[in-house]
């Protein structure tokens, strides 16, 4: 090993087994980061691909909906300095709220909110102590919309979008930046895992996850506050801010209601 060679900075990416998280981790590897990647799915294939790009990779398979899973990831990071955290892990859940299994409801809330906030607090404390670091949080344009037939997921993303912007303001002057990536429907496993393949949004056109990840990664490097990926999504956000909430909820219903219930 070349002793004079500067160590590569470390990036932590959650939800990195596929989709936007996979491509965020790939962006980081291509930009000279070593990686700690985490997901509740197997990560071996992704880890090999990132190692082929020159990164040292530690893969942590854990359930970030649980305190034990978050602590397992924190233990894997150890005392290493985290230069970038991409808190991307999240789950969806479609269908009628009253018909949903409450354990599944709780898992979405704990993954999207509790586990995300727990990890961010731990990593951000270290960044502020060093006066250096960047955090990218994956929110969603769904956070701007009352999500009929996706009520829990949209509610969690409303929390995350708001939390990211509030934390950014709290950390002004610390040299630690918080950026929020707000994608719309993206071509990932999300809709299959959320049981939404029989909906208009599940069957409609979706964004390329690699492009969405690049937009978010570049926003993080620039220290931007937030970025909505895609012109169509930007228009939907603008419309949701001026339309009555119940009109937005009805619009969302047409997209997310299972076809058998329409």
């Amino acid at each position: 090993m070349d002793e004079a060679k500067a160590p590569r900075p470390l990036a932590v990416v959650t939800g990195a087994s596929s989709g936007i998280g996979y491509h965020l981790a790939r962006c980081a590897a291509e930009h000279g980061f070593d990686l700690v990647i985490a997901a509740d799915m197997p990560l071996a294939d992704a880890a090999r691909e990132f190692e082929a790009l020159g990164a040292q990779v530690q893969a942590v398979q854990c359930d970030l909906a649980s305190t034990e899973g978050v602590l397992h990831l924190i233990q894997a990071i150890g005392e290493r300095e985290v230069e970038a955290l991409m808190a991307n892990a999240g789950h969806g859940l479609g269908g009628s709220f009253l018909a949903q299994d409450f354990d599944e409801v709780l898992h979405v809330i704990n993954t999207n909110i509790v586990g995300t906030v727990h990890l961010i607090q731990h990593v951000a404390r270290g960044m502020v102590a060093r006066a250096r670091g960047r955090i990218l949080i994956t929110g969603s344009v769904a956070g701007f919309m009352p999500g009929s037939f996706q009520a829990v997921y949209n509610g969690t993303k409303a929390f995350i979008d708001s939390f990211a912007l509030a934390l950014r303001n709290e950390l002004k002057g610390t040299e630690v930046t918080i950026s929020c990536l707000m994608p719309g429907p993206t071509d990932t496993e999300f809709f299959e895992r959320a049981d939404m393949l029989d909906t208009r949004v599940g069957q409609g056109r979706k964004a390329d996850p690699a492009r969405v990840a690049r937009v978010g990664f570049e926003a993080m490097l620039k220290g931007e506050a937030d970025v909505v990926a895609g012109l169509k999504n930007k228009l939907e956000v603008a419309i949701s801010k001026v339309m009555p909430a119940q009109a937005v909820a009805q619009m969302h219903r047409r997209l997310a209601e299972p076809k058998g219930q329409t």
Side-chain angles (χ1 to χ4, degrees):
M1 181 176 178
D2 185 357
E3 296 295 333
K5 187 176 180 180
R8 293 164 59 106
L10 180 66
V12 176
V13 187
T14 65
S17 59
S18 63
I20 295 171
Y22 167 87
H23 289 286
L24 284 171
R26 188 176 183 89
C27 285
E30 291 171 345
H31 281 74
F33 286 85
D34 285 333
L35 294 167
V36 174
I37 55 174
D40 60 0
M41 304 290 285
L43 287 155
D45 290 345
R48 283 192 291 269
E49 292 174 21
F50 303 147
E51 287 170 345
L53 296 171
Q56 292 188 12
V57 182
Q58 182 175 3
V60 181
Q61 186 173 345
C62 59
D63 184 0
L64 294 173
S66 69
T67 298
E68 294 78 8
V70 176
L71 292 177
H72 182 45
L73 175 55
I74 289 172
Q75 184 179 35
I77 297 168
E79 299 300 317
R80 288 178 288 178
E81 296 184 357
V82 178
E83 187 70 26
L85 167 63
M86 284 157 269
N88 171 79
H91 286 312
L93 184 62
S96 165
F97 171 68
L98 297 185
Q100 290 167 350
D101 181 89
F102 191 72
D103 286 341
E104 294 184 3
V105 169
L106 196 59
H107 193 268
V108 170
I109 294 170
N110 286 339
T111 303
N112 297 4
I113 296 179
V114 181
T116 297
V117 170
H118 187 177
L119 179 63
I120 289 170
Q121 186 186 61
H122 173 80
V123 173
R125 282 173 172 167
M127 289 179 171
V128 170
R130 298 190 308 273
R132 189 180 71 253
R134 301 185 184 281
I135 297 175
L136 178 70
I137 305 172
T138 301
S140 175
V141 298
F144 294 97
M145 305 173 189
S148 306
F149 293 91
Q150 208 176 357
V152 172
Y153 173 77
N154 284 38
T156 64
K157 288 304 181 178
F159 176 96
I160 287 298
D161 291 350
S162 175
F163 170 79
L165 294 173
L167 183 59
R168 178 183 177 88
N169 184 265
E170 286 190 24
L171 298 186
K172 284 177 66 174
T174 66
E175 303 303 323
V176 176
T177 60
I178 307 292
S179 303
C180 186
L181 171 62
M182 292 178 277
T186 305
D187 189 11
T188 69
E189 297 175 356
F190 175 90
F191 293 97
E192 180 179 359
R193 297 187 72 180
D195 194 23
M196 293 182 67
L197 293 179
D198 61 344
T199 64
R200 285 180 61 187
V201 66
Q203 296 174 359
R205 293 183 61 183
K206 301 175 184 66
D208 175 8
R211 182 182 179 281
V212 172
R214 285 195 300 273
V215 169
F217 188 81
E218 290 169 4
M220 181 191 71
L221 292 183
K222 294 174 184 176
E224 295 177 355
D226 54 74
V227 57
V228 177
L231 177 60
K232 180 175 179 289
N233 295 321
K234 292 176 182 177
L235 291 173
E236 287 184 354
V237 169
I239 291 170
S240 71
K241 290 180 177 180
V242 298
M243 287 179 64
Q246 281 303 304
V248 177
Q250 183 62 29
M251 179 176 68
H252 195 282
R253 179 181 188 131
R254 289 195 293 270
L255 293 172
E257 186 174 12
K259 289 190 174 181
Q261 298 182 40
T262 56

